[in-house]
Amino acid sequence: MDLLMQCQQKRQSSLPSNLHGPGRGIVMNGTPTAGSYKEVASLYLLSVRIIQAKNIRQSDLVSKPDCYVSLWLPTASFEKKRTKTIWNSREPAWDETFHFRIQNQVKNILELSMHDADLSTPDDHLFTVIFDVAQLKPQHNTRKTFALNPKGEEELEVEFKMTQIFDPPEKIITNGVLVSREISCLEVQLDKQKNAKSVKGKKDLMLMVKGSYENSKSTTSSSGNQFLFHSVKGWEPELTACLQDAGFPLDVSFREDVVDTATHSLTVPLKSLPKEEYMEVAVPIEDTEQLNLKLRAKDCPEPFDVRLGFNLCKEERDFLWQRKRVVAAALKKVLQLDQDLKDHEVPVVAIMATGGGARAMTCLYSHLAGLQKLNLLDCVTYITGASGSTWTMSKLYEDADWSQKDLRGPVNSIKKQVTESKVSSFSWDRLKYYRKELKQIREEGRQTSFSDLWGLLIESMFYKEKNESKLSDQQRAVNRGQNPLPIYLAINVKEDDSSTQDFKEWCEFSPYEVGLLKYGVFVRTEDFGSEFFMGRLMKKIPESRICYLQGLWGNVFSLNLVDTWNLATNSEQFWEQWVKNRVQDIDKESEQLRERSSHLNTHLYTPSGKLSKTLKDILTNRPIHGEQHNFLKGFQLHNDYNQHNQFSTWKDSQLDSSPNQLTPLAEKLCLVDAGYFINASYPPLLRAERNVDIILSFDYTMDTPVQSIEQTFHYCSEQRIPFPKIELSEEERKNPKECYVFMDEKCPAAPTVLHFPLVNDTFRTHKAPGVKRSSSEMAEGDVNVSGFWSPYFLMNFTYSEHEFDRLLKLTEYNIQNNKDLILNAFRTAITQKKGSRT
């Protein structure tokens, strides 16, 4: 699809590309959720016969390789399987067959990894073949010979067979990208009083359902008599009960060798249990004693605690309906219109703010105050922010009517905090307070990280007292459409495997929802940080205070070394040449044939040497980052996910073609400051569903004040997201103007962007629009917002009153001096919207 066609389709509601009929809603706590639908999926038995390998290289100079093959299919099994080891052979032959129960509507990617066994050191990983099972035809034997190097000398020969299983088909729920499969809930009841004699002393009953959300539990770790296990029904899970000495760690107690040799153990396939009925079983203890358990297997209820879909949530749609009335009235007044605007004539105006620490926080206050003085603030529907600008937003939205009040009050309040010394924030008493607060959130079930400590420091530096407010509390500030809707931006990255440039996923936060744009999955804001499995809320953790999110959104310390190198040199050559994984396409099909298919290419991954691996581990490790429970946990990717138009819009890395490495399989989210990729907060405003017409782009970057908008343009061009073309001369990059207007007449769906860089241009000679400075006033126009000696550098959090006031006056002046450009953009947008209905 070319960009023009994409532009024409932007205004249409987005539905999954592979719908076979109208989209049906699922229930999210009683609320219909559009954009998701149900499918019936067949189950198949996949047989994989590992036959032989040829001409395998030697990984050392001492002996021939001792090879085995491991098989990993995470959509069908919780564990890796492996062949026996063939010792001292370059042409090992195994002839071993492995079986997997697969579901045909999920993307099943089989990884075949060959290793060279070693008795004294870790086994050498030789290569991995990544194979899309969707290439296979049911009821056919398919023999594949995988070439393991470009010359084809090394080979792995494998035979596949896929046979349909005539069990009842599985009912799934999907948005076309993610799939939620049927969940089986096993309830285990143990009457501790009745069985007190059996479990007394040093004995402990250990329970495990491999691959389940809970994995394992023990009687000593729970005070109750009931134990629950949630697992994928199609995997045919089993319960293992084992009585052993208390005190063993669960991960040690349930090693295969321990369970297999235990004399007092019991294994029960869940499919053997009568549905919804209790069945009694006994764990043998002694010759004449047994431990009695009651088991019941039931299907998990269908209502979700997440929202699957790419459309806007109901709460945001309700907000837009109310906000449109406010915006229409404001536009009529400021543009002096003779008639009221009709609903379809009201443009959606958004503010986009970048990061920049205390500088960004201060400037956003100033820009908002400037818009208020011009009576333009009520014309705005959205405000998005990243990093330091989110500190302004989160503070303002504590007041439910902030935009209807004089902003001089909040500005004076933040001035007091910015100009005060921050030494007290690092006092011994404050450090003890931070420790106490971090201990409390750990007790609530959250993992703590440096970003939490950083959030407490931000709170101490700019608020001076404990702030109990939460992001969901901001719903009160938008429940009548009285303020623009705030959206905060972060990115999800790999914790220790990639650079930010190599893998990142946009994550947006609003008072209503938190969601990952690429997957179309959202959770209620008050549930963010809780534990989920397959869309169900498994463990509710109290919503965190807003300061911890401020630390996450603006964590300027979560870089890894390769990110630091890329930012410093603006080059990825070092990463590409020395550290990045070597993955090559070994499919023999034509490129044209593959482009028409949702099948993923077969890839060969060849691991780097030990030195490169060590170097990569050092360069990609993020010692200071923020981990959060992954609300995508358990979900699997749809078989056609890579053809879905919404996923395709936001996919931008090589890993997007590697489902086994994407976020649904990750244990945790690793959320960092969005500025590590592009120091801007455009992505939420570029969602087609929001239909944003005008973006007031406030860039608080020093030294490179137009870089972020140029980077956004290049990103949008590559992703085919409607965005105006940005063309600037070298002179404009060095000496940018106060305001640029970018629009694309050939693509009406692209928003008009008014970009305000942080520059000191005519403010040097004018104290107000059209009012020149006298010779005695010229010093007030000398505001240094670039260069090494600027007082507004990123890591400075304390300004003098004079520095604060001058920065405030500069940014407010830049808005007021370009009022006509803003009003003209409003008039043009209204005219275009009127014309679109004629």
Side-chain angles (χ1 to χ4, degrees):
M1 180 186 301
D2 59 26
L3 182 57
L4 181 59
M5 187 178 298
Q6 178 116 357
C7 290
Q8 293 169 345
Q9 293 183 355
K10 180 191 175 193
R11 302 294 179 179
Q12 300 177 5
S13 61
S14 177
L15 290 175
S17 60
N18 59 341
L19 271 176
H20 304 301
R24 289 158 287 179
I26 65 170
V27 174
M28 177 178 172
N29 283 356
T31 303
T33 303
S36 302
Y37 53 99
K38 297 179 181 178
E39 288 186 355
V40 177
S42 300
L43 294 171
Y44 290 82
L45 181 66
L46 172 66
S47 300
V48 183
R49 179 180 165 221
I50 307 298
I51 302 174
Q52 62 182 348
K54 297 180 179 179
N55 302 315
I56 300 302
R57 76 196 74 168
Q58 293 183 212
S59 59
D60 56 61
L61 301 177
V62 179
S63 63
K64 294 180 181 179
D66 308 309
C67 295
Y68 65 89
V69 177
S70 68
L71 301 87
W72 188 41
L73 186 53
T75 51
S77 177
F78 49 82
E79 60 186 352
K80 292 184 178 180
K81 303 182 180 183
R82 57 163 288 179
T83 67
K84 59 181 177 289
T85 301
I86 304 297
W87 299 95
N88 199 32
S89 174
R90 293 189 62 209
E91 299 197 357
W94 294 277
D95 197 20
E96 293 185 54
T97 302
F98 302 86
H99 303 285
F100 302 90
R101 287 170 58 91
I102 66 171
Q103 199 248 81
N104 69 342
Q105 285 299 87
V106 303
K107 179 59 73 177
N108 297 293
I109 301 296
L110 176 65
E111 296 191 12
L112 302 169
S113 300
M114 184 174 290
H115 300 262
D116 183 1
D118 200 312
L119 297 177
S120 57
T121 61
D123 297 347
D124 293 314
H125 181 190
L126 303 181
F127 60 81
T128 295
V129 173
I130 303 168
F131 177 72
D132 187 352
V133 173
Q135 299 180 34
L136 303 175
K137 296 180 180 179
Q139 315 303 329
H140 284 75
N141 280 19
T142 303
R143 200 159 179 150
K144 292 274 188 179
T145 300
F146 299 109
L148 306 180
N149 65 31
K151 296 181 181 179
E153 295 176 353
E154 296 177 88
E155 296 178 346
L156 175 64
E157 193 173 350
V158 184
E159 184 178 71
F160 301 94
K161 185 175 182 180
M162 196 162 62
T163 308
Q164 186 169 356
I165 300 173
F166 293 100
D167 287 349
E170 185 176 11
K171 298 176 183 177
I172 65 170
I173 297 174
T174 180
N175 63 355
V177 174
L178 293 180
V179 171
S180 174
R181 300 183 61 178
E182 290 186 49
I183 297 296
S184 177
C185 178
L186 173 66
E187 179 185 334
V188 182
Q189 289 190 359
L190 168 66
D191 190 331
K192 290 186 177 180
Q193 291 183 343
K194 186 177 180 180
N195 291 278
K197 182 179 178 182
S198 303
V199 296
K200 69 179 181 179
K202 297 182 179 180
K203 293 296 182 182
D204 190 8
L205 177 65
M206 317 293 288
L207 302 170
M208 183 174 71
V209 178
K210 291 182 178 179
S212 67
Y213 161 75
E214 296 81 2
N215 190 42
S216 56
K217 292 185 176 183
S218 71
T219 52
T220 57
S221 63
S222 175
S223 59
N225 297 325
Q226 186 184 75
F227 306 86
L228 297 178
F229 294 90
H230 300 81
S231 51
V232 179
K233 189 176 180 181
W235 287 7
E236 294 192 339
E238 295 180 336
L239 169 70
T240 300
C242 177
L243 196 69
Q244 61 178 48
D245 291 338
F248 276 66
L250 289 184
D251 56 344
V252 174
S253 302
F254 277 112
R255 291 185 327 216
E256 289 290 342
D257 56 340
V258 174
V259 174
D260 291 346
T261 58
T263 57
H264 309 308
S265 63
L266 174 73
T267 299
V268 181
L270 268 59
K271 69 176 182 179
S272 66
L273 300 177
K275 190 174 183 180
E276 301 289 343
E277 296 181 9
Y278 285 104
M279 186 178 83
E280 291 194 6
V281 298
V283 181
I285 300 176
E286 303 293 347
D287 293 339
T288 59
E289 290 187 36
Q290 59 187 25
L291 185 64
N292 297 312
L293 303 175
K294 291 176 68 176
L295 309 180
R296 182 174 68 161
K298 56 183 179 180
D299 292 339
C300 242
E302 187 175 287
F304 268 19
D305 298 294
V306 305
R307 184 173 71 86
L308 280 180
F310 293 91
N311 56 320
L312 304 181
C313 66
K314 179 181 182 299
E315 292 83 359
E316 184 172 342
R317 296 197 302 271
D318 291 343
F319 161 81
L320 291 173
W321 181 82
Q322 295 183 82
R323 185 64 181 174
K324 188 170 286 189
R325 311 276 81 75
V326 177
V327 172
L331 286 171
K332 181 181 180 182
K333 181 179 179 180
V334 75
L335 296 178
Q336 300 180 353
L337 302 177
D338 296 330
Q339 298 179 334
D340 293 340
L341 292 172
K342 298 178 182 178
D343 281 359
H344 73 275
E345 297 171 346
V346 180
V348 178
V349 181
I351 290 173
M352 189 292 307
T354 70
R359 178 181 67 248
M361 179 180 68
T362 302
C363 290
L364 183 54
Y365 273 107
S366 178
H367 274 138
L368 294 175
L371 290 173
Q372 187 181 64
K373 288 182 179 179
L374 296 174
N375 297 315
L376 298 178
L377 191 51
D378 280 344
C379 302
V380 176
T381 299
Y382 291 104
I383 299 179
T384 64
S387 196
S389 60
T390 66
W391 305 346
T392 298
M393 295 164 60
S394 55
K395 182 61 178 177
L396 285 175
Y397 278 86
E398 292 177 16
D399 186 340
D401 298 294
W402 69 266
S403 67
Q404 309 305 311
K405 301 177 181 179
D406 191 337
L407 284 179
R408 283 179 293 183
V411 169
N412 290 332
S413 177
I414 198 63
K415 175 181 177 180
K416 180 180 178 182
Q417 306 304 330
V418 172
T419 56
E420 284 186 357
S421 171
K422 307 300 185 293
V423 174
S424 61
S425 298
F426 301 90
S427 67
W428 181 247
D429 287 341
R430 295 304 295 177
L431 294 176
K432 288 193 294 185
Y433 165 74
Y434 302 152
R435 182 178 180 182
K436 177 183 175 182
E437 290 295 303
L438 294 176
K439 180 181 178 182
Q440 179 180 335
I441 63 175
R442 280 195 298 268
E443 291 173 350
E444 292 174 350
R446 287 183 50 207
Q447 288 189 330
T448 57
S449 65
F450 178 82
S451 66
D452 297 307
L453 175 59
W454 177 232
L456 290 170
L457 282 166
I458 294 171
E459 179 183 64
S460 177
M461 289 190 293
F462 299 122
Y463 305 102
K464 296 300 181 183
E465 59 185 18
K466 186 173 181 177
N467 182 4
E468 295 288 357
S469 68
K470 302 175 176 63
L471 180 56
S472 63
D473 294 339
Q474 296 180 13
Q475 294 175 20
R476 296 194 299 267
V478 291
N479 59 2
R480 306 187 311 277
Q482 69 270 40
N483 299 302
L485 182 68
I487 303 176
Y488 308 83
L489 187 66
I491 51 176
N492 179 50
V493 298
K494 292 290 183 181
E495 178 182 348
D496 54 5
D497 185 64
S498 304
S499 74
T500 303
Q501 297 290 329
D502 206 38
F503 181 83
K504 66 274 174 188
E505 297 173 333
W506 302 110
C507 183
E508 68 173 40
F509 296 73
S510 82
Y512 301 125
E513 291 186 317
V514 178
L516 289 166
L517 305 190
K518 187 164 70 178
Y519 302 101
V521 59
F522 300 84
V523 295
R524 287 177 293 268
T525 298
E526 54 266 36
D527 290 338
F528 176 70
S530 296
E531 296 185 31
F532 290 81
F533 181 68
M534 205 68 82
R536 280 82 171 179
L537 179 60
M538 307 304 293
K539 182 180 179 181
K540 172 63 179 173
I541 295 175
E543 183 182 359
S544 63
R545 298 193 291 116
I546 192 72
C547 70
Y548 296 115
L549 292 179
Q550 290 174 328
L552 184 156
W553 299 325
N555 187 355
V556 295
F557 306 103
S558 54
L559 285 170
N560 57 28
L561 291 177
V562 73
D563 288 334
T564 306
W565 173 270
N566 290 338
L567 288 173
T569 64
N570 200 27
S571 170
E572 290 192 72
Q573 288 186 347
F574 180 81
W575 169 257
E576 295 281 349
Q577 183 175 355
W578 295 104
V579 187
K580 193 171 183 179
N581 292 335
R582 300 292 185 261
V583 180
Q584 61 187 109
D585 183 0
I586 58 174
D587 264 344
K588 296 180 180 179
E589 298 179 8
S590 70
E591 189 68 29
Q592 186 178 6
L593 180 63
R594 288 199 300 267
E595 287 181 355
R596 295 198 301 266
S597 171
S598 63
H599 300 166
L600 298 180
N601 302 343
T602 303
H603 288 96
L604 176 68
Y605 164 66
T606 305
S608 53
K610 292 181 180 179
L611 178 60
S612 294
K613 183 181 184 305
T614 302
L615 182 61
K616 177 184 175 183
D617 291 342
I618 294 172
L619 291 175
T620 60
N621 182 45
R622 297 180 189 272
I624 303 176
H625 63 275
E627 283 190 343
Q628 301 287 336
H629 292 296
N630 183 9
F631 52 85
L632 274 67
K633 187 174 181 179
F635 282 120
Q636 297 177 357
L637 287 160
H638 194 277
N639 189 43
D640 299 323
Y641 83 95
N642 59 321
Q643 298 294 303
H644 195 284
N645 62 333
Q646 290 280 11
F647 185 90
S648 299
T649 296
W650 302 108
K651 69 177 183 180
D652 57 10
S653 76
Q654 186 183 67
L655 290 184
D656 289 324
S657 296
S658 302
N660 295 353
Q661 298 186 60
L662 292 181
T663 302
L665 277 177
E667 187 68 23
K668 305 288 182 182
L669 298 178
C670 184
L671 296 172
V672 301
D673 192 322
Y676 292 146
F677 177 47
I678 299 176
N679 185 29
S681 56
Y682 287 105
L685 304 177
L686 301 179
R687 290 178 59 185
E689 299 79 13
R690 291 198 167 111
N691 294 321
V692 173
D693 299 289
I694 298 172
I695 298 176
L696 303 179
S697 171
F698 297 145
D699 193 332
Y700 307 129
T701 311
M702 289 205 314
D703 299 322
T704 55
V706 295
Q707 184 183 70
S708 66
I709 194 170
E710 288 187 303
Q711 289 175 330
T712 302
F713 164 66
H714 292 306
Y715 177 83
C716 290
S717 297
E718 292 172 358
Q719 308 308 122
R720 299 183 178 181
I721 299 171
F723 196 80
K725 190 172 184 179
I726 309 298
E727 288 184 326
L728 296 171
S729 66
E730 193 60 35
E731 175 61 26
E732 287 177 306
R733 293 189 185 95
K734 292 180 180 179
N735 299 293
K737 297 185 298 185
E738 293 169 349
C739 180
Y740 292 88
V741 179
F742 300 107
M743 60 188 305
D744 190 341
E745 296 180 355
K746 296 181 180 179
C747 182
T752 296
V753 178
L754 284 79
H755 186 65
F756 292 84
L758 181 57
V759 295
N760 186 2
D761 187 11
T762 62
F763 182 74
R764 294 180 184 275
T765 56
H766 292 71
K767 62 182 180 181
V771 181
K772 288 188 175 183
R773 297 182 185 276
S774 65
S775 57
S776 62
E777 295 171 326
M778 294 299 289
E780 285 300 308
D782 185 18
V783 186
N784 184 5
V785 289
S786 64
F788 181 77
W789 300 109
S790 172
Y792 309 111
F793 63 90
L794 182 63
M795 300 309 295
N796 184 22
F797 300 105
T798 305
Y799 303 155
S800 69
E801 290 191 11
H802 187 61
E803 291 165 348
F804 182 92
D805 289 341
R806 288 206 293 183
L807 182 61
L808 209 70
K809 291 177 182 178
L810 167 66
T811 45
E812 188 174 314
Y813 168 87
N814 285 350
I815 281 284
Q816 294 176 341
N817 197 44
N818 291 278
K819 175 183 177 180
D820 290 343
L821 290 179
I822 299 175
L823 295 181
N824 287 338
F826 288 176
R827 293 189 185 96
T828 301
I830 292 172
T831 300
Q832 289 176 340
K833 295 181 81 68
K834 286 182 177 181
S836 66
R837 288 295 185 96
T838 58

